[in-house]
Amino acid sequence: MKLQRKTRRTLALGAIAVSGALALTACGSDDTGNAGGGDSAATAKAGAIDCGDAKGQLQASGSSAQKNAIDAWLRQYTTACKGVQLNYNPTGSGAGVTAFLQGQTAFAGSDSALDAEEIAESKKTACADGGQAIDLPMVVGPIGVGYNVPGVDSLVLDAPTLAKIFDSKITNWNDKAIAALNPDAKLPDLKIQAFHRSDESGTTDNFTKYLSAAAPDDWKYEHGKSWEAKGGQSASGSSGVAQQVSQTSGAISYMELSYVKDGMKSVKIKTGAAQPVEATTENATKSISEAKVVGTGKDLALELNYTPSAEGAYPITLVTYEIVCDKGNKAESLPAVKSFLSYIASEDGQGLLADAGYAPVPAEIITKVRSTVSTLS
């Protein structure tokens, strides 16, 4: 654990050094032409945003899975709140949490809830006045299993088969286990190129939680942000694995669904339901509706069900949390933090998620998020 944490801290420091790579700032109405149907729609939505006393620069980093959601939100927010420059660097969940705990950012994005050790550390480092870091769920996204197999336009896999593929136990696309799930497909005699994340990732954590829960006999590794299985190839960030799959014949990887594009298709997952389930935001919502709040106090960490049997419930989902102090936030950044988080948790903010390839947080949970954001100090 100490070695892993040291590695994560090193990655975070390197990522912060290049945080200018994704500086999303207020640039006027020209930046909003593709958001919400044009400049007029963007201006109308932006007009409902309460900027309050928000001003200055706001540094944040973390989850790359939510990057497309952040982009959509910032097109609206920075149109309204021109005094705020928010820089979000999609370094990955592990590096983002570490940077936040080291006091380098105002908030972090993470696809995994904080563990007890991280919460304890936040009381000593990031949060003053007896505060602690809390998890605020803001984005729901299906984890698509993107593949690039010539001639195969529809592919069904189940958890045991996925576990064997990513554990290098199934290595060719015409393997009998894959053929049994796809009797009508013309599977090529082609080597499987399985890609996983090289950086610490909440997407990896959620994907391996699914494999552990749904295929315990075939996946013997501990779930976590770091990839533990042997073999395969790696790439950094959601965009990195997506690029590798899109340009590599025979490739497969896991990524937030909005990255499944550029020639890729998404695997349909065989569950306990009668029909295989497609990765869509609607199907992710059916699954996430079973989530339970397991955090204490103001912490709203969720427990997900990775083995749903309801028809149309997609089992591989993630929730991205914004990590922030419940109290003891830095006075100079607190107004902007509250303003931005209030907007993205609002009906308007959550309403942008579907067009960006995500699902909104269920109403009963996002209501608690809004209430909690209003009490940040």
Side-chain angles (χ1 to χ4, degrees):
M1 172 63 76
K2 289 183 179 179
L3 179 60
Q4 183 185 69
R5 185 171 293 279
K6 181 178 179 181
T7 301
R8 195 177 74 183
R9 290 185 187 283
T10 302
L11 289 171
L13 289 170
I16 289 299
V18 296
S19 63
L22 183 64
L24 299 165
T25 62
C27 299
S29 60
D30 289 345
D31 288 341
T32 66
N34 295 324
D39 291 347
S40 60
T43 303
K45 290 184 178 180
I49 297 172
D50 183 3
C51 302
D53 297 325
K55 59 183 178 180
Q57 290 193 351
L58 198 62
Q59 302 293 335
S61 66
S63 165
S64 62
Q66 73 166 352
K67 175 187 177 296
N68 294 331
I70 292 285
D71 288 351
W73 283 329
L74 283 176
R75 280 192 291 269
Q76 305 296 337
Y77 183 78
T78 55
T79 297
C81 304
K82 297 183 183 297
V84 179
Q85 178 180 323
L86 198 160
N87 302 316
Y88 183 81
N89 193 11
T91 55
S93 298
V97 169
T98 295
F100 172 77
L101 293 177
Q102 293 176 346
Q104 298 172 2
T105 55
F107 69 90
S110 177
D111 306 321
S112 293
L114 297 168
D115 60 30
E117 183 180 352
E118 290 166 335
I119 292 175
E121 185 176 348
S122 73
K123 298 177 182 179
K124 303 174 183 178
T125 56
C127 308
D129 302 327
Q132 69 169 52
I134 57 174
D135 301 282
L136 300 177
M138 289 291 188
V139 180
V140 173
I143 299 175
V145 181
Y147 71 95
N148 179 357
V149 182
V152 180
D153 294 328
S154 179
L155 182 68
V156 176
L157 296 174
D158 58 13
T161 307
L162 277 170
K164 292 171 186 174
I165 287 173
F166 281 93
D167 195 23
S168 303
K169 299 293 176 58
I170 292 177
T171 58
N172 216 64
W173 280 110
N174 63 356
D175 186 274
K176 61 182 181 180
I178 301 176
L181 292 165
N182 300 272
D184 298 326
K186 295 182 179 179
L187 299 169
D189 181 7
L190 178 67
K191 182 180 178 181
I192 295 174
Q193 308 281 353
F195 286 87
H196 58 266
R197 291 280 291 273
S198 60
D199 54 321
E200 285 199 353
S201 162
T203 310
T204 295
D205 191 20
N206 283 278
F207 183 65
T208 54
K209 280 180 179 177
Y210 162 72
L211 294 177
S212 297
D217 293 335
D218 298 290
W219 191 258
K220 300 298 185 180
Y221 305 96
E222 291 290 329
H223 69 79
K225 295 175 184 176
S226 297
W227 186 257
E228 299 294 337
K230 308 303 179 184
Q233 302 175 67
S234 65
S236 179
S238 298
S239 59
V241 292
Q243 181 180 27
Q244 290 299 324
V245 174
S246 67
Q247 66 187 19
T248 305
S249 180
I252 186 171
S253 188
Y254 57 92
M255 63 201 78
E256 199 282 322
L257 183 61
S258 65
Y259 288 88
V260 180
K261 53 187 178 181
D262 298 330
M264 275 187 283
K265 294 180 174 60
S266 186
V267 170
K268 295 178 182 178
I269 304 298
K270 181 175 174 56
T271 66
Q275 298 296 324
V277 184
E278 186 177 356
T280 67
T281 56
E282 293 82 5
N283 290 343
T285 300
K286 293 176 183 177
S287 177
I288 210 73
S289 64
E290 300 180 17
K292 299 177 181 178
V293 176
V294 294
T296 59
K298 293 183 179 181
D299 187 84
L300 297 175
L302 302 176
E303 180 180 80
L304 307 183
N305 178 13
Y306 294 98
T307 57
S309 57
E311 293 297 326
Y314 185 75
I316 320 176
T317 58
L318 61 79
V319 171
T320 300
Y321 302 92
E322 311 311 330
I323 309 297
V324 68
C325 296
D326 59 355
K327 61 180 179 178
N329 290 280
K330 295 179 180 178
E332 61 271 23
S333 60
L334 179 60
V337 168
K338 292 183 70 172
S339 173
F340 181 67
L341 295 184
S342 293
Y343 164 61
I344 68 177
S346 71
E347 185 175 343
D348 283 348
Q350 290 287 297
L352 291 180
L353 291 176
D355 287 342
Y358 304 87
V361 177
E364 62 274 15
I365 298 174
I366 200 65
T367 299
K368 295 178 181 178
V369 172
R370 294 167 187 159
S371 176
T372 301
V373 170
S374 70
T375 67
L376 297 180
S377 63

